[in-house]
Amino acid sequence: MNDSSDIRFLMTIREAGSLVAAARTLGISPPTVTQRLQQIERKLDTRLIDRTARRLRFTEEGTLLCQRGADLVQQFDALFDDVRARQGGLAGTVKIRAPLGFGRRHLASVVSAFQRDNPDVDIELTLTDQPLSETAERYDIVVHIGELPASNLIGYAIAPNARFVCAAPALLKRFPNPETPDDLRQLPCIVLRENNEDASLWQFRKGRTTRSVRVSSKLCCNDGDVVRQWACEGRGVILRSEWDVADDLAKGDLVRLLPAWKAGDADVIALTRNRAGLPARTRQFMRYMQARFKPQPPWRS
């Protein structure tokens, strides 16, 4: 294994999940995939994948090659990207993973504009309600909103983003406007479940005073657009990102509650596997994305 092609081959199998799926991705036949895998294992004199009729399981050695090999492949690509960039252009593929709602409303246009300005760059944008799942390390950039759990990924600030408690005017005609976070226990609330967070525990701060409130909810969803729509219909109180509710607040479809109490910020950040050795196309997209949200993000314009 004296070049990156074998490592790329193993990473393709791991991402595809089966030899047949890997064959489709690579555009070759399943027997050819099997033969090449056997050749690599013979060269290394070790088994890399335990395969049965039903599933594949990477051995410790196979997993090590994919994990550490991913960094080596990235550095290898970055070297050649930098050489190409010196000749006047960016090329290659940028794989991006981002939250559903934010990706649709704010990131998709950034991706489109960057690719238009850099026609030799291919971009694969994957939107999901679990951007930080275990597959996140297969992407060049992962966009995350909110507090970052323990991770070996490197974070870059993209845009500030507060969180507001909101409700529709119609709801406030039926229930009293809450004066403290504790009053939320008496109101119907709507919960967004994402990133494996404790979604019904809402936390607030006012000066040095903190409050944690366990809200009750008859409605919950993993899609922020659905949660916001229910709130606009007067079905309950929501705790949502500023980027998501700014337009509804401006139009009066939602009203901000408890403005004196601050919920934790949920800033927008971009995550990469490494700080050094990023391909030129990845670095340029990162800068492009940061520039599009300055000096103020669109939800604060």
Side-chain angles (χ1 to χ4, degrees):
M1 187 175 292
N2 52 11
D3 59 35
S4 65
S5 62
D6 287 344
I7 293 176
R8 294 178 198 273
F9 175 76
L10 291 173
M11 290 170 60
T12 299
I13 295 176
R14 190 182 186 194
E15 186 166 350
S18 73
L19 299 184
V20 173
R24 286 196 297 265
T25 300
L26 295 168
I28 57 180
S29 68
T32 302
V33 171
T34 301
Q35 290 169 8
R36 183 170 180 188
L37 175 58
Q38 291 171 343
Q39 290 172 356
I40 296 172
E41 290 179 328
R42 282 197 296 268
K43 281 194 294 184
L44 295 175
D45 193 24
T46 187
R47 193 168 182 82
L48 301 176
I49 303 176
D50 290 327
R51 46 241 189 228
T52 66
R54 293 187 176 182
R55 69 184 188 93
L56 300 180
R57 186 185 68 82
F58 274 73
T59 65
E60 289 186 10
E61 292 76 13
T63 300
L64 178 64
L65 278 172
C66 288
Q67 289 177 342
R68 295 181 60 180
D71 294 337
L72 295 174
V73 167
Q74 187 179 53
Q75 294 176 27
F76 188 85
D77 289 345
L79 172 61
F80 283 91
D81 275 351
D82 286 345
V83 172
R84 283 194 292 265
R86 288 173 180 265
Q87 305 304 314
L90 299 175
T93 301
V94 180
K95 295 183 179 181
I96 304 166
R97 186 177 174 94
L100 282 166
F102 185 82
R104 283 193 297 258
R105 197 176 310 178
H106 294 292
L107 189 59
S109 60
V110 177
V111 168
S112 177
F114 179 82
Q115 200 285 323
R116 183 190 58 223
D117 294 343
N118 300 275
D120 291 330
V121 175
D122 299 332
I123 299 186
E124 298 179 13
L125 175 62
T126 299
L127 302 183
T128 173
D129 63 339
Q130 295 288 336
L132 281 181
S133 69
E134 62 181 16
T135 60
E137 292 190 357
R138 301 176 186 174
Y139 292 81
D140 300 302
I141 296 173
V142 176
V143 177
H144 176 69
I145 299 174
E147 185 177 351
L148 181 65
S151 170
N152 59 354
L153 299 174
I154 308 299
Y156 300 82
I158 300 299
N161 174 56
R163 292 194 300 165
F164 299 149
V165 179
C166 308
L171 183 79
L172 299 178
K173 292 180 180 179
R174 307 196 313 269
F175 296 92
N177 200 321
E179 297 181 0
T180 71
D182 293 330
D183 294 337
L184 293 173
R185 294 191 177 95
Q186 311 306 318
L187 299 179
C189 295
I190 304 171
V191 167
L192 173 67
R193 300 196 179 280
E194 59 181 355
N195 296 325
N196 297 318
E197 296 175 351
D198 189 349
S200 63
L201 183 64
W202 295 2
Q203 301 182 19
F204 301 91
R205 186 180 73 253
K206 181 180 180 182
R208 296 184 179 180
T209 303
T210 60
R211 286 286 188 276
S212 295
V213 179
R214 177 72 66 180
V215 300
S216 60
S217 173
K218 297 293 186 180
L219 289 171
C220 68
C221 185
N222 67 332
D223 189 315
D225 281 349
V226 172
V227 167
R228 182 176 52 80
Q229 177 184 329
W230 284 340
C232 290
E233 293 171 356
R235 296 302 313 278
V237 179
I238 59 172
L239 175 62
R240 284 300 290 135
S241 282
E242 178 185 6
W243 68 261
D244 191 28
V245 297
D247 289 346
D248 294 305
L249 290 172
K251 291 184 295 184
D253 293 338
L254 292 175
V255 176
R256 185 179 175 187
L257 309 180
L258 301 172
W261 291 85
K262 182 177 176 59
D265 289 337
D267 293 340
V268 182
I269 59 176
L271 306 169
T272 66
R273 290 192 298 269
N274 299 301
R275 189 177 299 278
L278 292 177
R281 60 181 180 271
T282 303
R283 295 197 307 271
Q284 289 300 326
F285 178 80
M286 192 85 71
R287 295 182 186 124
Y288 192 92
M289 181 167 49
Q290 290 172 321
R292 288 293 290 262
F293 292 103
K294 290 181 179 180
Q296 291 285 355
W299 49 91
R300 292 188 180 179
S301 299

